[in-house]
PDB file of all heavy atoms in Angstrom:
ATOM      1  N   LEU A 425       0.833  -1.180   0.013  1.00 87.00           N
ATOM      2  CA  LEU A 425      -0.005  -0.015  -0.007  1.00 87.00           C
ATOM      3  C   LEU A 425       0.878   1.250  -0.005  1.00 87.00           C
ATOM      4  O   LEU A 425       1.969   1.243   0.523  1.00 87.00           O
ATOM      5  CB  LEU A 425      -0.889   0.007   1.233  1.00 87.00           C
ATOM      6  CG  LEU A 425      -1.764  -1.232   1.459  1.00 87.00           C
ATOM      7  CD1 LEU A 425      -2.457  -1.121   2.790  1.00 87.00           C
ATOM      8  CD2 LEU A 425      -2.791  -1.371   0.352  1.00 87.00           C
ATOM      9  N   SER A 426       0.324   2.320  -0.522  1.00 81.00           N
ATOM     10  CA  SER A 426       1.031   3.607  -0.480  1.00 81.00           C
ATOM     11  C   SER A 426       1.005   4.138   0.948  1.00 81.00           C
ATOM     12  O   SER A 426       0.248   3.651   1.790  1.00 81.00           O
ATOM     13  CB  SER A 426       0.382   4.602  -1.425  1.00 81.00           C
ATOM     14  OG  SER A 426      -0.894   4.939  -0.994  1.00 81.00           O
ATOM     15  N   ASP A 427       1.850   5.127   1.213  1.00 78.00           N
ATOM     16  CA  ASP A 427       1.873   5.752   2.541  1.00 78.00           C
ATOM     17  C   ASP A 427       0.532   6.294   2.938  1.00 78.00           C
ATOM     18  O   ASP A 427       0.197   6.314   4.123  1.00 78.00           O
ATOM     19  CB  ASP A 427       2.944   6.842   2.614  1.00 78.00           C
ATOM     20  CG  ASP A 427       4.363   6.260   2.588  1.00 78.00           C
ATOM     21  OD1 ASP A 427       4.548   5.107   2.944  1.00 78.00           O
ATOM     22  OD2 ASP A 427       5.282   7.040   2.260  1.00 78.00           O
ATOM     23  N   GLY A 428      -0.249   6.757   2.004  1.00 75.00           N
ATOM     24  CA  GLY A 428      -1.570   7.321   2.282  1.00 75.00           C
ATOM     25  C   GLY A 428      -2.636   6.287   2.529  1.00 75.00           C
ATOM     26  O   GLY A 428      -3.794   6.625   2.831  1.00 75.00           O
ATOM     27  N   PHE A 429      -2.346   5.011   2.380  1.00 70.00           N
ATOM     28  CA  PHE A 429      -3.208   3.867   2.583  1.00 70.00           C
ATOM     29  C   PHE A 429      -4.341   3.791   1.545  1.00 70.00           C
ATOM     30  O   PHE A 429      -4.545   2.777   0.953  1.00 70.00           O
ATOM     31  CB  PHE A 429      -3.771   3.814   4.004  1.00 70.00           C
ATOM     32  CG  PHE A 429      -4.560   2.545   4.278  1.00 70.00           C
ATOM     33  CD1 PHE A 429      -3.868   1.375   4.523  1.00 70.00           C
ATOM     34  CD2 PHE A 429      -5.945   2.513   4.262  1.00 70.00           C
ATOM     35  CE1 PHE A 429      -4.599   0.172   4.755  1.00 70.00           C
ATOM     36  CE2 PHE A 429      -6.611   1.334   4.525  1.00 70.00           C
ATOM     37  CZ  PHE A 429      -5.954   0.189   4.765  1.00 70.00           C
ATOM     38  N   HIS A 430      -5.018   4.899   1.298  1.00 78.00           N
ATOM     39  CA  HIS A 430      -6.136   4.883   0.336  1.00 78.00           C
ATOM     40  C   HIS A 430      -5.674   5.243  -1.074  1.00 78.00           C
ATOM     41  O   HIS A 430      -6.503   5.460  -1.940  1.00 78.00           O
ATOM     42  CB  HIS A 430      -7.241   5.826   0.782  1.00 78.00           C
ATOM     43  CG  HIS A 430      -7.945   5.362   2.025  1.00 78.00           C
ATOM     44  ND1 HIS A 430      -8.757   4.240   2.041  1.00 78.00           N
ATOM     45  CD2 HIS A 430      -7.900   5.819   3.297  1.00 78.00           C
ATOM     46  CE1 HIS A 430      -9.209   4.074   3.294  1.00 78.00           C
ATOM     47  NE2 HIS A 430      -8.692   5.003   4.063  1.00 78.00           N
ATOM     48  N   GLY A 431      -4.405   5.225  -1.322  1.00 80.00           N
ATOM     49  CA  GLY A 431      -3.860   5.584  -2.646  1.00 80.00           C
ATOM     50  C   GLY A 431      -3.596   4.372  -3.483  1.00 80.00           C
ATOM     51  O   GLY A 431      -4.250   3.346  -3.378  1.00 80.00           O
ATOM     52  N   GLU A 432      -2.561   4.467  -4.270  1.00 85.00           N
ATOM     53  CA  GLU A 432      -2.176   3.366  -5.169  1.00 85.00           C
ATOM     54  C   GLU A 432      -1.698   2.153  -4.361  1.00 85.00           C
ATOM     55  O   GLU A 432      -1.222   2.276  -3.245  1.00 85.00           O
ATOM     56  CB  GLU A 432      -1.081   3.831  -6.120  1.00 85.00           C
ATOM     57  CG  GLU A 432      -1.516   4.946  -7.066  1.00 85.00           C
ATOM     58  CD  GLU A 432      -0.449   5.373  -8.021  1.00 85.00           C
ATOM     59  OE1 GLU A 432       0.506   4.600  -8.231  1.00 85.00           O
ATOM     60  OE2 GLU A 432      -0.563   6.451  -8.580  1.00 85.00           O
ATOM     61  N   TRP A 433      -1.802   0.980  -4.990  1.00 88.00           N
ATOM     62  CA  TRP A 433      -1.363  -0.243  -4.339  1.00 88.00           C
ATOM     63  C   TRP A 433      -1.015  -1.256  -5.415  1.00 88.00           C
ATOM     64  O   TRP A 433      -1.351  -1.047  -6.590  1.00 88.00           O
ATOM     65  CB  TRP A 433      -2.443  -0.813  -3.418  1.00 88.00           C
ATOM     66  CG  TRP A 433      -3.708  -1.161  -4.173  1.00 88.00           C
ATOM     67  CD1 TRP A 433      -4.736  -0.323  -4.503  1.00 88.00           C
ATOM     68  CD2 TRP A 433      -4.084  -2.445  -4.653  1.00 88.00           C
ATOM     69  NE1 TRP A 433      -5.700  -0.965  -5.196  1.00 88.00           N
ATOM     70  CE2 TRP A 433      -5.328  -2.313  -5.328  1.00 88.00           C
ATOM     71  CE3 TRP A 433      -3.501  -3.696  -4.647  1.00 88.00           C
ATOM     72  CZ2 TRP A 433      -5.981  -3.374  -5.919  1.00 88.00           C
ATOM     73  CZ3 TRP A 433      -4.155  -4.744  -5.248  1.00 88.00           C
ATOM     74  CH2 TRP A 433      -5.389  -4.570  -5.900  1.00 88.00           C
ATOM     75  N   ILE A 434      -0.335  -2.311  -5.009  1.00 91.00           N
ATOM     76  CA  ILE A 434      -0.043  -3.418  -5.912  1.00 91.00           C
ATOM     77  C   ILE A 434       0.005  -4.693  -5.113  1.00 91.00           C
ATOM     78  O   ILE A 434       0.388  -4.715  -3.953  1.00 91.00           O
ATOM     79  CB  ILE A 434       1.281  -3.167  -6.659  1.00 91.00           C
ATOM     80  CG1 ILE A 434       1.497  -4.250  -7.758  1.00 91.00           C
ATOM     81  CG2 ILE A 434       2.462  -3.154  -5.710  1.00 91.00           C
ATOM     82  CD1 ILE A 434       2.582  -3.885  -8.741  1.00 91.00           C
ATOM     83  N   GLN A 435      -0.418  -5.791  -5.741  1.00 95.00           N
ATOM     84  CA  GLN A 435      -0.277  -7.109  -5.163  1.00 95.00           C
ATOM     85  C   GLN A 435       0.761  -7.872  -5.958  1.00 95.00           C
ATOM     86  O   GLN A 435       0.742  -7.901  -7.165  1.00 95.00           O
ATOM     87  CB  GLN A 435      -1.590  -7.874  -5.153  1.00 95.00           C
ATOM     88  CG  GLN A 435      -1.459  -9.280  -4.562  1.00 95.00           C
ATOM     89  CD  GLN A 435      -2.750 -10.012  -4.484  1.00 95.00           C
ATOM     90  OE1 GLN A 435      -3.737  -9.441  -4.019  1.00 95.00           O
ATOM     91  NE2 GLN A 435      -2.782 -11.276  -4.885  1.00 95.00           N
ATOM     92  N   VAL A 436       1.693  -8.501  -5.215  1.00 96.00           N
ATOM     93  CA  VAL A 436       2.739  -9.304  -5.850  1.00 96.00           C
ATOM     94  C   VAL A 436       2.528 -10.735  -5.376  1.00 96.00           C
ATOM     95  O   VAL A 436       2.388 -11.010  -4.198  1.00 96.00           O
ATOM     96  CB  VAL A 436       4.104  -8.804  -5.361  1.00 96.00           C
ATOM     97  CG1 VAL A 436       5.213  -9.679  -5.868  1.00 96.00           C
ATOM     98  CG2 VAL A 436       4.338  -7.357  -5.821  1.00 96.00           C
ATOM     99  N   ASP A 437       2.528 -11.638  -6.344  1.00 98.00           N
ATOM    100  CA  ASP A 437       2.431 -13.074  -6.056  1.00 98.00           C
ATOM    101  C   ASP A 437       3.706 -13.776  -6.469  1.00 98.00           C
ATOM    102  O   ASP A 437       4.301 -13.382  -7.478  1.00 98.00           O
ATOM    103  CB  ASP A 437       1.287 -13.700  -6.809  1.00 98.00           C
ATOM    104  CG  ASP A 437      -0.079 -13.048  -6.511  1.00 98.00           C
ATOM    105  OD1 ASP A 437      -0.381 -12.886  -5.321  1.00 98.00           O
ATOM    106  OD2 ASP A 437      -0.830 -12.752  -7.493  1.00 98.00           O
ATOM    107  N   GLY A 438       4.166 -14.715  -5.683  1.00 98.00           N
ATOM    108  CA  GLY A 438       5.370 -15.427  -6.035  1.00 98.00           C
ATOM    109  C   GLY A 438       5.704 -16.511  -5.054  1.00 98.00           C
ATOM    110  O   GLY A 438       4.892 -16.915  -4.224  1.00 98.00           O
ATOM    111  N   ARG A 439       6.946 -16.980  -5.111  1.00 98.00           N
ATOM    112  CA  ARG A 439       7.427 -17.976  -4.215  1.00 98.00           C
ATOM    113  C   ARG A 439       8.518 -17.382  -3.338  1.00 98.00           C
ATOM    114  O   ARG A 439       9.405 -16.723  -3.829  1.00 98.00           O
ATOM    115  CB  ARG A 439       7.990 -19.183  -5.001  1.00 98.00           C
ATOM    116  CG  ARG A 439       6.883 -19.882  -5.772  1.00 98.00           C
ATOM    117  CD  ARG A 439       7.274 -21.264  -6.178  1.00 98.00           C
ATOM    118  NE  ARG A 439       6.121 -21.895  -6.802  1.00 98.00           N
ATOM    119  CZ  ARG A 439       5.235 -22.675  -6.172  1.00 98.00           C
ATOM    120  NH1 ARG A 439       5.383 -22.896  -4.887  1.00 98.00           N
ATOM    121  NH2 ARG A 439       4.234 -23.208  -6.798  1.00 98.00           N
ATOM    122  N   ALA A 440       8.395 -17.655  -2.043  1.00 98.00           N
ATOM    123  CA  ALA A 440       9.321 -17.069  -1.090  1.00 98.00           C
ATOM    124  C   ALA A 440      10.263 -18.119  -0.532  1.00 98.00           C
ATOM    125  O   ALA A 440       9.946 -19.319  -0.490  1.00 98.00           O
ATOM    126  CB  ALA A 440       8.528 -16.459   0.063  1.00 98.00           C
ATOM    127  N   THR A 441      11.443 -17.605  -0.166  1.00 98.00           N
ATOM    128  CA  THR A 441      12.413 -18.477   0.534  1.00 98.00           C
ATOM    129  C   THR A 441      12.828 -17.708   1.821  1.00 98.00           C
ATOM    130  O   THR A 441      12.813 -16.500   1.878  1.00 98.00           O
ATOM    131  CB  THR A 441      13.671 -18.758  -0.285  1.00 98.00           C
ATOM    132  OG1 THR A 441      14.233 -17.553  -0.698  1.00 98.00           O
ATOM    133  CG2 THR A 441      13.361 -19.595  -1.489  1.00 98.00           C
ATOM    134  N   VAL A 442      13.175 -18.475   2.811  1.00 98.00           N
ATOM    135  CA  VAL A 442      13.692 -17.938   4.092  1.00 98.00           C
ATOM    136  C   VAL A 442      15.222 -18.096   4.054  1.00 98.00           C
ATOM    137  O   VAL A 442      15.729 -19.175   3.916  1.00 98.00           O
ATOM    138  CB  VAL A 442      13.095 -18.672   5.305  1.00 98.00           C
ATOM    139  CG1 VAL A 442      13.641 -18.135   6.596  1.00 98.00           C
ATOM    140  CG2 VAL A 442      11.579 -18.673   5.288  1.00 98.00           C
ATOM    141  N   VAL A 443      15.898 -16.952   4.152  1.00 98.00           N
ATOM    142  CA  VAL A 443      17.340 -16.943   4.210  1.00 98.00           C
ATOM    143  C   VAL A 443      17.751 -16.683   5.664  1.00 98.00           C
ATOM    144  O   VAL A 443      17.508 -15.612   6.203  1.00 98.00           O
ATOM    145  CB  VAL A 443      17.958 -15.856   3.252  1.00 98.00           C
ATOM    146  CG1 VAL A 443      19.463 -15.931   3.312  1.00 98.00           C
ATOM    147  CG2 VAL A 443      17.442 -16.016   1.865  1.00 98.00           C
ATOM    148  N   SER A 444      18.352 -17.680   6.290  1.00 98.00           N
ATOM    149  CA  SER A 444      18.704 -17.629   7.712  1.00 98.00           C
ATOM    150  C   SER A 444      20.147 -17.174   7.845  1.00 98.00           C
ATOM    151  O   SER A 444      20.929 -17.202   6.901  1.00 98.00           O
ATOM    152  CB  SER A 444      18.541 -18.995   8.360  1.00 98.00           C
ATOM    153  OG  SER A 444      17.204 -19.411   8.300  1.00 98.00           O
ATOM    154  N   LEU A 445      20.487 -16.772   9.075  1.00 98.00           N
ATOM    155  CA  LEU A 445      21.883 -16.439   9.388  1.00 98.00           C
ATOM    156  C   LEU A 445      22.730 -17.679   9.333  1.00 98.00           C
ATOM    157  O   LEU A 445      22.235 -18.788   9.598  1.00 98.00           O
ATOM    158  CB  LEU A 445      21.938 -15.820  10.772  1.00 98.00           C
ATOM    159  CG  LEU A 445      21.321 -14.418  10.887  1.00 98.00           C
ATOM    160  CD1 LEU A 445      21.197 -14.017  12.364  1.00 98.00           C
ATOM    161  CD2 LEU A 445      22.110 -13.403  10.097  1.00 98.00           C
ATOM    162  N   PRO A 446      23.969 -17.628   8.964  1.00 98.00           N
ATOM    163  CA  PRO A 446      24.750 -16.439   8.682  1.00 98.00           C
ATOM    164  C   PRO A 446      24.592 -15.870   7.233  1.00 98.00           C
ATOM    165  O   PRO A 446      24.990 -14.761   6.985  1.00 98.00           O
ATOM    166  CB  PRO A 446      26.203 -16.893   8.912  1.00 98.00           C
ATOM    167  CG  PRO A 446      26.183 -18.322   8.538  1.00 98.00           C
ATOM    168  CD  PRO A 446      24.815 -18.847   8.959  1.00 98.00           C
ATOM    169  N   GLU A 447      23.967 -16.685   6.330  1.00 98.00           N
ATOM    170  CA  GLU A 447      23.830 -16.221   4.934  1.00 98.00           C
ATOM    171  C   GLU A 447      22.982 -14.956   4.824  1.00 98.00           C
ATOM    172  O   GLU A 447      23.116 -14.194   3.860  1.00 98.00           O
ATOM    173  CB  GLU A 447      23.176 -17.309   4.077  1.00 98.00           C
ATOM    174  CG  GLU A 447      24.086 -18.535   3.882  1.00 98.00           C
ATOM    175  CD  GLU A 447      24.019 -19.491   5.076  1.00 98.00           C
ATOM    176  OE1 GLU A 447      23.096 -19.392   5.918  1.00 98.00           O
ATOM    177  OE2 GLU A 447      24.917 -20.365   5.143  1.00 98.00           O
ATOM    178  N   ALA A 448      22.095 -14.710   5.810  1.00 98.00           N
ATOM    179  CA  ALA A 448      21.196 -13.551   5.737  1.00 98.00           C
ATOM    180  C   ALA A 448      21.868 -12.264   6.128  1.00 98.00           C
ATOM    181  O   ALA A 448      21.297 -11.169   5.884  1.00 98.00           O
ATOM    182  CB  ALA A 448      19.970 -13.785   6.628  1.00 98.00           C
ATOM    183  N   MET A 449      23.068 -12.260   6.703  1.00 98.00           N
ATOM    184  CA  MET A 449      23.626 -11.028   7.290  1.00 98.00           C
ATOM    185  C   MET A 449      23.795  -9.922   6.231  1.00 98.00           C
ATOM    186  O   MET A 449      23.354  -8.807   6.439  1.00 98.00           O
ATOM    187  CB  MET A 449      24.956 -11.302   7.969  1.00 98.00           C
ATOM    188  CG  MET A 449      25.446 -10.070   8.711  1.00 98.00           C
ATOM    189  SD  MET A 449      24.316  -9.452   9.979  1.00 98.00           S
ATOM    190  CE  MET A 449      24.504 -10.678  11.256  1.00 98.00           C
ATOM    191  N   GLU A 450      24.463 -10.206   5.128  1.00 97.00           N
ATOM    192  CA  GLU A 450      24.652  -9.132   4.129  1.00 97.00           C
ATOM    193  C   GLU A 450      23.327  -8.698   3.485  1.00 97.00           C
ATOM    194  O   GLU A 450      23.117  -7.519   3.298  1.00 97.00           O
ATOM    195  CB  GLU A 450      25.717  -9.507   3.117  1.00 97.00           C
ATOM    196  CG  GLU A 450      27.100  -9.524   3.699  1.00 97.00           C
ATOM    197  CD  GLU A 450      27.424  -8.285   4.517  1.00 97.00           C
ATOM    198  OE1 GLU A 450      27.302  -7.151   4.025  1.00 97.00           O
ATOM    199  OE2 GLU A 450      27.827  -8.434   5.713  1.00 97.00           O
ATOM    200  N   PRO A 451      22.408  -9.639   3.189  1.00 97.00           N
ATOM    201  CA  PRO A 451      21.094  -9.183   2.724  1.00 97.00           C
ATOM    202  C   PRO A 451      20.349  -8.326   3.768  1.00 97.00           C
ATOM    203  O   PRO A 451      19.631  -7.389   3.391  1.00 97.00           O
ATOM    204  CB  PRO A 451      20.354 -10.476   2.429  1.00 97.00           C
ATOM    205  CG  PRO A 451      21.415 -11.453   2.087  1.00 97.00           C
ATOM    206  CD  PRO A 451      22.568 -11.065   2.967  1.00 97.00           C
TER     207      PRO A 451
END
């Protein structure tokens, strides 16, 4: 959602992965 909440918005669909530490530190 936009900062104004009632403004523009977008929905993104996809596949997620969980990157754990220590690999997650730089991301």
Side-chain angles (χ1 to χ4, degrees):
L425 305 173
S426 67
D427 288 338
F429 187 76
H430 292 290
E432 295 182 20
W433 61 277
I434 189 167
Q435 178 175 314
V436 174
D437 301 313
R439 296 199 175 266
T441 55
V442 179
V443 182
S444 299
L445 292 169
E447 293 82 14
M449 188 58 75
E450 289 313 306

